[in-house]
């Protein structure tokens, strides 16, 4: 079966696009001391990275999760550089993001005036884009192939994704191109973001790129030019050795 991503989605394209999407989040592992009986406080503990360790799907149903995993598996297929988007946990990353503020754009200003060509191409928030998009994708695949997207072979999946990317498939409630762009963007974010957010499992993409991760101090390496350091990547939560007592 084909291991090539859909046209326009080469590994090189994903790597270039990732530069604009990868951003370090807020570290949520350090607790403040208790003062005058005030309980311990964690930054963003109501919707922070720590809840991403929860087991099971938080937003997607089991059926939706299966389809999302099938999509990200083809958007970022396994090759000699890394595992697939599914194996890297991209679907988990998307699931956790949709559960939080991002899913409803709760922290994003949604009123005009908008700049032409810059405003959101859909009135739906991400959570609704996934609900509607996955439903419409399922209907299209059943009508065309008599199967779910996840039941198609790799070549058929790629053909469907290409048609979505070009907008040739007609969805109701959302343009197929909009849904494709949404899940592609989120898949790339999940592949390259800090593992604390559910994706980039085992820091696979950072190891592939040679990215050292969220290190707080590079002073020992400032004068070491043109040298391959092979630093072990670190997540926002740091190394387990940092938490040792004594």
């Amino acid at each position: 079966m084909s291991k090539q991503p859909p046209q326009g989605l080469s590994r090189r394209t994903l790597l270039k696009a990732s530069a604009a999407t990868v951003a370090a989040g807020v570290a949520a592992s350090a607790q403040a001391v208790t003062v005058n009986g005030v309980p311990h406080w964690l930054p963003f503990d109501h919707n922070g990275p720590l809840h991403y360790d929860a087991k099971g799907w938080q937003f997607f149903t089991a059926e939706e999760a299966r389809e999302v995993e099938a999509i990200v598996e083809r958007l970022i297929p396994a090759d000699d550089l890394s595992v697939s988007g599914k194996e890297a946990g991209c679907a988990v990353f998307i699931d956790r993001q949709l559960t939080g503020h991002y899913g409803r754009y709760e922290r994003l200003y949604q009123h005009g005036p908008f700049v032409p060509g810059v405003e959101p191409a859909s009135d739906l928030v991400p959570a609704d884009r996934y609900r509607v998009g996955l439903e419409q994708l399922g209907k299209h695949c059943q009508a065309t192939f008599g199967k779910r997207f996840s039941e198609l072979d790799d070549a058929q999946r790629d053909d469907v994704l290409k048609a979505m990317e070009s907008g040739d498939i007609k969805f109701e409630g959302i343009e197929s191109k909009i849904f494709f762009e949404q899940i592609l963007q989120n898949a790339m974010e999940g592949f390259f973001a800090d593992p604390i957010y559910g994706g980039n499992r085992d820091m696979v993409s950072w190891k592939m790129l040679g990215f050292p991760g969220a290190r707080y101090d590079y002073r020992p390496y400032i004068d070491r030019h043109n040298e391959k350091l092979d630093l072990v990547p670190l997540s926002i939560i740091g190394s387990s050795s940092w938490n040792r007592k004594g």
Side-chain angles (χ1 to χ4, degrees), residues 218-235:
Y218 286 91
R219 285 175 294 179
Y221 312 102
I222 291 177
D223 296 325
R224 297 172 63 176
H225 305 297
N226 301 316
E227 180 181 347
K228 193 171 185 289
L229 298 175
D230 290 323
L231 297 174
V232 177
L234 290 179
S235 170

Side-chain angles (χ1 to χ4, degrees), residues 51-64:
H51 81 281
Y52 298 163
D53 286 336
K55 304 300 181 183
W57 300 104
Q58 307 300 306
F59 174 81
F60 294 129
T61 64
E63 292 74 17
E64 290 172 334

Side-chain angles (χ1 to χ4, degrees), residues 18-46:
S18 69
T21 62
V22 180
V26 178
S29 58
Q31 288 186 333
V33 297
T34 301
V35 179
N36 296 328
V38 178
H40 288 290
W41 175 81
L42 291 173
F44 296 103
D45 58 353
H46 61 294

Side-chain angles (χ1 to χ4, degrees), residues 33 84 96 125 157 179 223:
V33 297
S84 70
R96 302 314 194 250
V125 296
R157 293 185 192 182
F179 179 55
D223 296 325

